[in-house]
């Protein structure tokens, strides 16, 4: 089994910063891709930032220049540093990863339980 556990959400004022963490644990052979999505009330889940299987980083246009994704491969952990937060960033943030559990098995898609980020004064 594989688990993704997020932490770091909370309430922050506009213009503030937060750092999210997501740690993958369990039977992991390799992590092909890992990153963050978010879902605001009444909206579809959208990509925020992602390390792709091709080794690139993708950001949503709405967060470029404000959010930074990073990772610690030794800890199977990805981070999302969010700065200059806006009320429209309010959402549940979900960690997502494509993880291979052994050499012969293709990657499966995993999701964390989500962490709430609220930007409000």
């Amino acid at each position: 089994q594989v688990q993704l556990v997020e932490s770091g959400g909370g309430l922050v004022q506009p213009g503030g910063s937060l750092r999210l963490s997501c740690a993958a644990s369990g039977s992991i052979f390799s992590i092909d891709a890992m990153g963050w999505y978010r879902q605001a009330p009444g909206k579809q889940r959208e990509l925020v930032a992602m390390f792709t299987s091709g080794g690139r980083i993708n950001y949503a246009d709405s967060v470029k220049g404000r959010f930074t994704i990073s990772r610690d491969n030794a800890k199977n952990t990805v981070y999302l540093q969010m700065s200059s937060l806006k009320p429209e960033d309010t959402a549940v943030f979900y960690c997502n990863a494509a993880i291979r559990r052994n050499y012969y098995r293709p990657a499966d898609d995993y999701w964390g339980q989500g962490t709430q980020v609220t930007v409000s004064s």
Side-chain angles (χ1 to χ4, degrees):
Q1 294 289 351
V2 172
Q3 282 189 318
L4 302 181
V5 178
E6 302 124 332
S7 60
L11 173 65
V12 64
Q13 292 187 342
S17 299
L18 276 177
R19 188 193 195 209
L20 306 182
S21 300
C22 173
S25 63
S27 180
I28 298 171
F29 173 75
S30 66
I31 299 177
D32 289 0
M34 194 168 182
W36 296 92
Y37 284 73
R38 68 183 178 186
Q39 188 166 18
K43 295 187 177 181
Q44 290 188 329
R45 193 171 296 190
E46 63 175 0
L47 174 70
V48 177
M50 178 70 66
F51 286 102
T52 71
S53 58
R56 296 183 304 213
I57 298 176
N58 289 339
Y59 288 102
D61 288 342
S62 59
V63 307
K64 285 180 180 177
R66 300 188 299 122
F67 291 9
T68 302
I69 191 171
S70 61
R71 61 187 174 185
D72 185 334
N73 291 333
K75 296 181 179 180
N76 291 330
T77 298
V78 66
Y79 306 94
L80 186 68
Q81 179 66 47
M82 305 184 291
S83 303
S84 302
L85 283 160
K86 305 174 182 180
E88 51 264 43
D89 293 316
T90 295
V92 178
F93 282 69
Y94 295 92
C95 183
N96 171 255
I99 295 175
R100 297 178 67 186
R101 293 170 61 187
N102 59 56
Y103 177 82
Y104 303 100
R105 185 186 177 105
D108 293 315
D109 203 40
Y110 294 90
W111 291 90
Q113 78 284 359
T115 185
Q116 177 71 46
V117 171
T118 302
V119 184
S120 175
S121 54

